Amino acid sequence: GLFATVTGQPAINMFAQTFSGCGNLTGAIPSDLFAGIDGEYRDSMYHSTFSGCAKLGTEISESDIPQYMRDGYAMPPNLFGKLYNAPKGSMFHYTFSGCKGLQGRIPEKLFGEIDGAPAGSMFAYTFSDCSGLRGEIPADLFGGIKLTGDGQDNMFVRTFCNCKNLTKIPENLFGMLSGKTGASMFSETFMILSFSTRISYATTTPYRFSLAQNLSLTAKASGLRLTVAEQAYPRPLSLSRLPSM
């Protein structure tokens, strides 16, 4: 494999942003890509590793389809090597964010043997915008009941955001968390942000269409027809009249 000679205890930022933004990268994720990793979790070790790889998991010939795909999984089980003990901050932050080409179920224990108190941003945005993920979320994906202790800031913010084809959330997915809470710890974890809005106005009056805090569209037309699709923002489309031009 590509990292076959990389073995032993992982390090901070070890595979952070390794393939990030490789929008034209196609093919299946190799089952042994990180097989040599063996040790405890480290901060940001897989932060944004595949983020933005929208075509990953596509354009695979019949002879090159790996067994895990034939079994219905979107990525290899045990992809990240042999990992164990307490999680670390941002360890799987944005890891698969935007990987729309990955099709299938999430494997059980994809992230290793998590056992201990949670950490900040540990699974923030991990699968956000992975619209090809299907089926049930594995009950032990995050270590099952072994994930214990106080909540931390942003630990599951937008983890499955826009994963619109997932069908079931297991009862103990987040373990036995107790004690203090953290800011945004479950903010928009399962939110579906995609929307399609069609607006028709027969007017010559200029209007501003506010799509997000820092994004607006000004239009002046007769018989205006505006289509807004796939805007990653949860608020409703708003309309305000502008001063005369």
Side-chain angles (χ1 to χ4, degrees):
L2 180 62
F3 302 112
T5 59
V6 181
T7 61
Q9 177 68 47
I12 295 173
N13 296 323
M14 190 168 185
F15 292 105
Q17 299 183 314
T18 302
F19 302 102
S20 181
C22 294
N24 292 316
L25 184 65
T26 61
I29 301 175
S31 297
D32 61 351
L33 187 60
F34 307 114
I37 300 301
D38 185 345
E40 298 182 354
Y41 300 96
R42 290 290 183 263
D43 293 331
S44 302
M45 56 186 298
Y46 289 109
H47 190 308
S48 303
T49 302
F50 300 105
S51 66
C53 295
K55 295 183 179 180
L56 190 63
T58 68
E59 300 182 22
I60 307 169
S61 64
E62 177 64 27
S63 60
D64 290 333
I65 298 177
Q67 187 59 49
Y68 72 84
M69 281 190 167
R70 297 184 188 278
D71 293 337
Y73 293 115
M75 64 280 294
N78 304 312
L79 170 62
F80 300 107
K82 187 178 180 181
L83 298 171
Y84 46 84
N85 286 350
K88 299 295 183 181
S90 297
M91 60 182 189
F92 291 106
H93 195 161
Y94 282 107
T95 302
F96 296 106
S97 180
C99 292
K100 299 180 180 180
L102 295 178
Q103 304 285 324
R105 306 191 310 275
I106 302 172
E108 297 178 356
K109 296 186 178 180
L110 174 63
F111 303 114
E113 298 287 344
I114 300 173
D115 187 354
S121 300
M122 59 182 186
F123 289 107
Y125 293 83
T126 303
F127 299 107
S128 63
D129 292 306
C130 289
S131 54
L133 295 180
R134 301 189 300 273
E136 300 180 10
I137 300 173
D140 59 357
L141 183 62
F142 303 122
I145 62 172
K146 293 182 180 179
L147 186 61
T148 59
D150 294 341
Q152 299 296 323
D153 293 348
N154 304 311
M155 60 183 190
F156 289 108
V157 62
R158 293 198 179 189
T159 304
F160 300 101
C161 180
N162 236 16
C163 294
K164 54 189 176 183
N165 290 308
L166 293 175
T167 58
K168 185 176 180 180
I169 303 170
E171 183 177 353
N172 294 319
L173 177 62
F174 301 115
M176 300 294 288
L177 298 174
S178 61
K180 298 179 181 178
T181 58
S184 300
M185 55 190 286
F186 293 108
S187 178
E188 301 170 358
T189 303
F190 302 101
M191 177 180 270
I192 304 299
L193 298 181
S194 295
F195 65 87
S196 181
T197 303
R198 209 172 268 278
I199 304 173
S200 297
Y201 291 100
T203 179
T204 57
T205 304
Y207 284 89
R208 173 176 289 120
F209 298 88
S210 300
L211 307 179
Q213 288 177 323
N214 299 312
L215 174 65
S216 63
L217 170 68
T218 301
K220 181 180 182 181
S222 178
L224 173 67
R225 181 173 294 277
L226 172 68
T227 299
V228 181
E230 299 296 324
Q231 292 294 332
Y233 197 71
R235 297 181 184 175
L237 187 68
S238 62
L239 178 68
S240 61
R241 184 169 179 171
L242 298 178
S244 300
M245 292 184 177

